[in-house]
Amino acid sequence: MTSSAYDAITLQQLIESNNNALGQQLSKMVHSAKNPEAIANTAFNKLRLDSRHVADNDAFILLKSQTQQGQDPQKIHDYLLQAGKRAALIFSEINPVALFDNTDILPCPVLYVPDIRHFLGSLIQARLQYQQLITLPTVVAVTGTNGKTTISQLVAQLAQLAGHDSAVMGTAGNGKLDALLQARHTTGDALAVQQFLYHMGEQNVDLLALEASSHGLDQKRLQGVPIKVAIYTNLSRDHLDYHADMAEYVAAKAKLFDKAHFPTLTHAIINIDDEHANVMLDTAKASNLTVWTYSLQADNEAKGANFVATKIEPSLQGVKITLRSVLGDSQGNDVNNINIISPLLGHFNVANLLAAIAAAVALGISLEHIASLVPQLKGAVGRMQRVPSTDGCFIVDYAHTPDALTQVLDSLRTHCQGQLWAVFGCGGDRDAGKRPLMAQAGLSGADQVILTADNPRTEDPNVILQNMQAGMSEEQYQRTHIEPARQRAIEYAVSHASANDIVVIAGKGHETYQEINGVRHDFDDSVILQQALQQAGRI
């Protein structure tokens, strides 16, 4: 039987089959109802988070919306009525008394469960497992502003090359490495996450590497995921349209290292070079995890970093790394010095690789074996992705924050014999305070800058571009070209860059669309760049 086939089940059956914290929470939930026995024995089919998808006798779970429109009491009222016409049960994070003068008029029982997010993932997985018992993959989760996609894919590749069937879940797609399906969100909702996890178990996947976004962690979308290894990359300004401030953003990331949230955790792998690393370290140590740190600074070896790149030699073919790992006691009884040849471009990709190597070691793969596998690695699509050309160097990268753009440009500067070009914009309907910072990051790192549209969404691209130009000096204007149409901006860069120049098309990376006024139009930077190079006779 596959996960698409469902027999009806009751909460009582789930309680009896889960002699654990989930069973206790479900029992508490049932006994809080007006008619506990009837609720416990009401059969339902699937669990649903979207009222539009509720079929006859499903159970609908109403969660508080994160959008202003979704918080409209009348809208919530309508969701409940719509779902209630077909649902057998409704579990609501919102008190129905605040929405209905008389809750008895509801077409099906509604249980008010204000803490349902604390066990929702476990509930969904328990319902799936009751249908057919499946062994779930071991999970490695990566959080941070930058590097999540690359690290998760590198971990999965290393595990795959070492003989473990692997999959990924995140921004660049979900699925086995050779069969990724485009994802709409970095971290899906709790139902999507648990269904995907179960589906990978059905396909006998051994290792799942996933990206843990701050939104997903804050909203407990990963609750119930059996995470074994948690990785922290870095943290810089991002998502302040969602989080109140940086402190709240940091706190959301730190949840990944807390066994109170993820009791299956064994290892924490943390970038000690990052200024917010101590928050993650303190959380992980309080949970008694095995904590390993990694660093690109050789002097951090003295600070106790477990994986240190003591020497880095870049080239356009990749980078040669001298890696020192210290995993033993304070006397260094388990010290390895090993040379690694990586095909990945960019200084920051050395950090990403160190994180992936540490995760692979935590999964039980020997460092010597890992070193032999690294030359076979491939970078994630849209992450420092080189598009072939007969001359010049043309890169597509997802860098969409000031810090990420700075890292990309700094990394490529060491390779550049001519001028370094940066083509980028800023997304609409997002943190407007980031816009001039993005422009300054580009101008600080590149010789020539082309400002263009990213995903304008519902905003006028020209307004976004005006915001980006705030505070620019006359000298900076002299080396800046403004072109709102992204395709023309890419074509301009291709036609004006010299044979020794490096051009970076930044901001969208793997994305295959451009969102304008609520419509997603086909647009792939790598494809547009390839066409422009062909038209210019450079491939």
Side-chain angles (χ1 to χ4, degrees), residues 236-247:
S236 60
R237 182 183 177 121
D238 201 13
H239 302 307
L240 294 189
D241 51 323
Y242 176 85
H243 299 288
D245 51 33
M246 286 296 291

Side-chain angles (χ1 to χ4, degrees), residues 237-538:
R237 182 183 177 121
D238 201 13
H239 302 307
L240 294 189
D241 51 323
Y242 176 85
H243 299 288
D245 51 33
M246 286 296 291
E248 186 178 288
Y249 185 31
V250 174
K253 296 291 190 186
K255 290 179 180 178
L256 184 60
F257 304 92
D258 190 343
K259 288 196 78 165
H261 295 291
F262 302 102
T264 53
L265 279 171
T266 62
H267 288 72
I269 296 166
I270 296 170
N271 176 15
I272 203 172
D273 295 342
D274 184 75
E275 63 177 311
H276 301 286
N278 283 339
V279 178
M280 315 302 154
L281 286 167
D282 291 344
T283 305
K285 289 174 181 177
S287 289
N288 293 316
L289 303 183
T290 296
V291 179
W292 291 343
T293 57
Y294 63 96
S295 174
L296 297 187
Q297 300 175 19
D299 60 352
N300 271 342
E301 184 182 331
K303 299 178 183 177
N306 302 94
F307 293 83
V308 183
T310 58
K311 189 174 183 182
I312 301 171
E313 302 174 58
S315 72
L316 278 181
Q317 285 67 51
V319 62
K320 181 179 179 181
I321 306 163
T322 302
L323 170 64
R324 179 177 173 84
S325 71
V326 182
L327 300 180
D329 55 28
S330 59
Q331 283 72 46
N333 291 333
D334 187 7
V335 178
N336 283 284
N337 289 283
I338 194 165
N339 290 324
I340 295 175
I341 304 296
S342 169
L344 306 176
L345 291 174
H347 193 73
F348 60 87
N349 267 333
V350 178
N352 291 337
L353 181 59
L354 293 187
I357 288 172
V361 173
L363 294 172
I365 307 172
S366 73
L367 189 58
E368 291 74 17
H369 191 189
I370 293 167
S372 71
L373 301 175
V374 169
Q376 301 177 58
L377 293 176
K378 298 177 181 178
V381 174
R383 267 65 173 181
M384 203 66 94
Q385 176 185 351
R386 187 170 185 177
V387 175
S389 58
T390 52
D391 60 51
C393 179
F394 296 87
I395 303 288
V396 171
D397 193 86
Y398 189 53
H400 62 284
T401 67
D403 180 63
L405 185 59
T406 296
Q407 289 193 45
V408 166
L409 295 173
D410 285 352
S411 291
L412 291 174
R413 174 62 68 184
T414 59
H415 304 293
C416 193
Q417 297 176 352
Q419 289 195 315
L420 182 57
W421 294 67
V423 183
F424 61 95
C426 286
D429 303 330
R430 298 293 187 269
D431 179 15
K434 187 173 73 173
R435 293 170 185 174
L437 302 180
M438 278 290 289
Q440 289 301 318
L443 287 160
S444 296
D447 301 299
Q448 300 292 330
V449 165
I450 303 175
L451 299 183
T452 188
D454 188 282
N455 288 315
R457 299 184 178 89
T458 65
E459 286 196 69
D460 181 345
N462 290 297
V463 172
I464 298 173
L465 290 169
Q466 288 172 5
N467 294 159
M468 294 181 73
Q469 295 171 61
M472 281 174 54
S473 67
E474 183 60 33
E475 182 275 332
Q476 289 176 327
Y477 272 114
Q478 292 298 317
R479 50 193 182 90
T480 300
H481 180 74
I482 310 295
E483 175 48 74
R486 193 172 181 90
Q487 180 171 340
R488 287 202 294 269
I490 293 171
E491 291 169 349
Y492 181 92
V494 169
S495 64
H496 285 76
S498 301
N500 291 326
D501 292 353
I502 295 179
V503 176
V504 184
I505 316 296
K508 288 172 56 57
H510 65 282
E511 292 179 352
T512 57
Y513 62 87
Q514 187 174 34
E515 188 173 337
I516 303 172
N517 290 325
V519 179
R520 290 191 170 190
H521 303 268
D522 289 342
F523 198 103
D524 186 324
D525 278 356
S526 64
V527 172
I528 299 298
L529 176 56
Q530 189 174 37
Q531 292 171 349
L533 288 166
Q534 190 166 14
Q535 290 169 5
R538 304 187 73 164

Side-chain angles (χ1 to χ4, degrees), residues 64-317:
K64 295 176 182 176
S65 174
Q66 303 302 313
T67 67
Q68 189 170 0
Q69 182 183 16
Q71 294 170 10
D72 179 359
Q74 185 59 48
K75 289 271 187 187
I76 302 169
H77 177 278
D78 294 344
Y79 293 150
L80 279 174
L81 285 181
Q82 179 185 1
K85 292 175 183 177
R86 309 192 74 175
L89 285 171
I90 294 177
F91 308 121
S92 178
E93 189 181 24
I94 302 166
N95 191 344
V97 173
L99 304 170
F100 294 87
D101 294 332
N102 181 6
T103 56
D104 292 333
I105 68 172
L106 288 165
C108 74
V110 178
L111 279 73
Y112 173 42
V113 193
D115 63 345
I116 194 166
R117 289 180 195 259
H118 293 279
F119 58 91
L120 178 56
S122 298
L123 169 60
I124 295 168
Q125 192 57 234
R127 198 272 170 269
L128 292 168
Q129 293 287 347
Y130 190 89
Q131 197 69 35
Q132 181 180 354
L133 194 62
I134 294 291
T135 300
L136 299 178
T138 296
V139 178
V140 174
V142 190
T143 198
T145 305
N146 305 313
K148 296 188 297 294
T149 300
T150 296
I151 293 172
S152 60
Q153 294 209 9
L154 294 180
V155 170
Q157 286 182 50
L158 287 172
Q160 185 84 27
L161 291 167
H164 306 286
D165 205 4
S166 302
V168 294
M169 184 178 194
T171 311
N174 302 333
K176 291 189 175 183
L177 287 172
D178 57 352
L180 294 184
L181 297 176
Q182 186 72 40
R184 191 171 181 87
H185 300 288
T186 301
T187 305
D189 63 41
L191 183 61
V193 169
Q194 293 296 336
Q195 287 177 331
F196 178 76
L197 180 64
Y198 185 81
H199 183 51
M200 290 299 97
E202 286 182 308
Q203 295 191 34
N204 299 312
V205 168
D206 301 313
L207 184 281
L208 171 62
L210 61 81
E211 299 177 47
S213 69
S214 60
H215 294 65
L217 289 165
D218 185 61
Q219 296 169 21
K220 298 181 172 60
R221 298 184 209 162
L222 292 174
Q223 191 281 320
V225 174
I227 299 171
K228 175 182 174 70
V229 181
I231 300 173
Y232 171 73
T233 64
N234 51 63
L235 200 145
S236 60
R237 182 183 177 121
D238 201 13
H239 302 307
L240 294 189
D241 51 323
Y242 176 85
H243 299 288
D245 51 33
M246 286 296 291
E248 186 178 288
Y249 185 31
V250 174
K253 296 291 190 186
K255 290 179 180 178
L256 184 60
F257 304 92
D258 190 343
K259 288 196 78 165
H261 295 291
F262 302 102
T264 53
L265 279 171
T266 62
H267 288 72
I269 296 166
I270 296 170
N271 176 15
I272 203 172
D273 295 342
D274 184 75
E275 63 177 311
H276 301 286
N278 283 339
V279 178
M280 315 302 154
L281 286 167
D282 291 344
T283 305
K285 289 174 181 177
S287 289
N288 293 316
L289 303 183
T290 296
V291 179
W292 291 343
T293 57
Y294 63 96
S295 174
L296 297 187
Q297 300 175 19
D299 60 352
N300 271 342
E301 184 182 331
K303 299 178 183 177
N306 302 94
F307 293 83
V308 183
T310 58
K311 189 174 183 182
I312 301 171
E313 302 174 58
S315 72
L316 278 181
Q317 285 67 51

